[in-house]
DNA sequence: CAAATAGTGTCTCTAAGACACTATTCC
DNA sequence: GGAATAGTGTCTTAGAGACACTATTTG
């Protein structure tokens, strides 16, 4: 589970990780994950991970989705050989978890470091393409500056402003308002974008 | 599990389905599927489905891969809410199963009809992009005519010959030999393509 | 030669990246 | 005015689809 939060102070995407309570890798930081109960839906298992492992309340979850299914052998010395990577948008980062930028990851248990790296490309690809994912990160209304920093966090470098504007204009269900707001301390204020519905 | 076989007589891709031995949907045609054992790898579960449900021997399986993970509620009145769609290439269609073209599907149990439809787009997208998948359908050496008919089966219409040639030339690990072979009863014989290794 | 199939070359369209230029704000 | 940020317009490139034309086989 990749729990993502856009921090409007540091102006970057931060990933929620937590110290493990049990062996193996006790006390070491890891991505929140749970075993899927028989007949349980992915969405419910994801919520359990967010609330139980990260301490994020349910109403601070802005969205949940599926990323990819890993099937590597020996991922976990214990049991499951199958794991499903999911994303979640978090509006309020819980104090009980550690929130870290994607390009300064601490050491993580299992192969979680690799999972984050592999998933980052997929997240960057889903941004502005998957409306549910994009909106979970931006919220309903957001200035262009946020879009710029969110994109920069996921792809690893600052995108071209012109191209980003063109991309945003082409996103279905997203439109630009007349409103302007200063997201930074200097410079021209940015236009506000708004999701429909 | 979408078990695919390229029939060189009918010159199209055929899908392996089998009558269910148990309730629910007993005696009705369905995609072969098995429950994933705890700690079992997807690849092994897929082989169990192929041999157990379709009667395809292990050495007639030219490849296995992962397509997509479905997470719809109430897919199956019984238990698992999660199912993973996989593809398999089959070199010899087993007599004990029913092999049907993709655009003339019989009625299938559960929501398997929809799964096939949804997966067909993914299969078409993977063709000539995923070398393991492509090679599992073509075999190590194949004439251009086979590539044409395989592509036509997956995308639903005949592709442009010129564009297909360009596509094949660009596939890594695939090269065109000087050899020509007549795959059809008339017309100019086609070049033979060969996978490296 | 006619019909059928195989193969080559080119045109267009679109999406994405790069970049030059203008616009608006704070200091 | 200068620095910083926001926004517009255009150029180039890569890939995919469409299509005109040539090449090689059987009957």
């Amino acid at each position: 589970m990749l729990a993502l939060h856009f921090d409007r102070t540091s102006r970057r995407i931060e990933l929620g990780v937590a110290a493990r309570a049990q062996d193996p890798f006790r006390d070491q930081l890891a991505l929140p994950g749970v075993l899927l109960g028989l007949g349980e839906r992915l969405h419910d298992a994801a919520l359990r991970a967010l609330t139980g492992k990260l301490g994020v309340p349910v109403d601070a979850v802005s969205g949940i989705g599926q990323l990819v299914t890993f099937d590597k052998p020996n991922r976990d010395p214990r049991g499951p050989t199958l794991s499903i990577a999911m994303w979640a948008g978090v509006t309020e980062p819980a104090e009980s978890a550690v929130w870290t930028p994607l390009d300064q990851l601490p050491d993580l248990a299992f192969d979680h470091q690799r999972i984050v790296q592999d998933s980052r490309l997929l997240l960057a690809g889903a941004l502005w393409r998957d409306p549910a994912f994009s909106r979970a990160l931006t919220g309903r209304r957001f200035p262009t500056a946020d879009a710029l920093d969110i994109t920069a966090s996921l792809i690893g470098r600052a995108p071209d402003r012109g191209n980003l504007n063109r991309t945003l204009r082409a996103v279905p269900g997203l439109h630009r308002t007349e409103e302007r707001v200063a997201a930074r301390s200097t410079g021209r204020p940015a236009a506000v974008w708004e999701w429909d519905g």
Side-chain angles (χ1 to χ4, degrees), chain A:
Chain A
M1 163 67 60
L2 296 162
L4 303 173
H5 166 71
F6 177 60
D7 186 297
R8 285 189 158 73
T9 304
S10 63
R11 304 210 57 77
R12 63 192 178 194
I13 293 284
E14 290 176 349
L15 175 73
V17 293
R20 285 180 57 80
Q22 297 144 13
D23 282 323
F25 296 103
R26 183 192 295 265
D27 296 329
Q28 197 172 335
L29 290 176
L31 295 175
V34 295
L35 294 177
L36 193 65
L38 194 67
E40 185 180 35
R41 295 202 55 195
L42 284 180
H43 184 272
D44 299 328
L47 278 182
R48 277 202 297 124
L50 288 169
T51 56
K53 301 286 176 75
L54 291 187
V56 173
V58 171
D59 60 2
V61 176
S62 51
I64 288 177
Q66 191 178 318
L67 257 189
V68 68
T69 308
F70 293 98
D71 179 36
K72 297 197 188 125
N74 303 328
R75 281 195 58 258
D76 183 329
R78 292 170 307 174
T81 49
L82 181 70
S83 69
I84 296 166
M86 306 192 68
W87 58 261
V90 173
T91 55
E92 277 300 321
E95 292 288 337
S96 50
V98 175
W99 297 88
T100 169
L102 286 172
D103 43 17
Q104 294 166 40
L105 289 183
D107 279 342
L108 296 178
F110 304 112
D111 59 345
H112 288 182
Q113 198 107 21
R114 169 161 296 277
I115 287 183
V116 174
Q117 285 173 5
D118 291 351
S119 301
R120 189 167 175 173
L121 288 174
L122 296 173
L123 294 171
L127 188 60
W128 314 128
R129 254 183 264 272
D130 179 342
F133 175 62
S134 309
R135 182 169 172 169
L137 294 184
T138 62
R140 176 157 152 70
R141 292 161 53 81
F142 62 96
T144 309
D146 287 11
L148 189 81
D149 294 329
I150 289 171
T151 306
S153 285
L154 292 188
I155 69 178
R157 58 189 168 76
D160 181 276
R161 292 171 175 282
N163 297 337
L164 178 62
N165 250 288
R166 184 176 50 192
T167 300
L168 292 179
R169 262 195 294 258
V171 173
L174 181 65
H175 61 94
R176 186 161 65 168
T177 68
E178 294 301 312
E179 189 179 349
R180 308 274 156 158
V181 71
R184 306 182 207 265
S185 56
T186 176
R188 177 180 176 177
V192 172
W193 299 77
E194 190 175 63
W195 295 96
D196 296 336

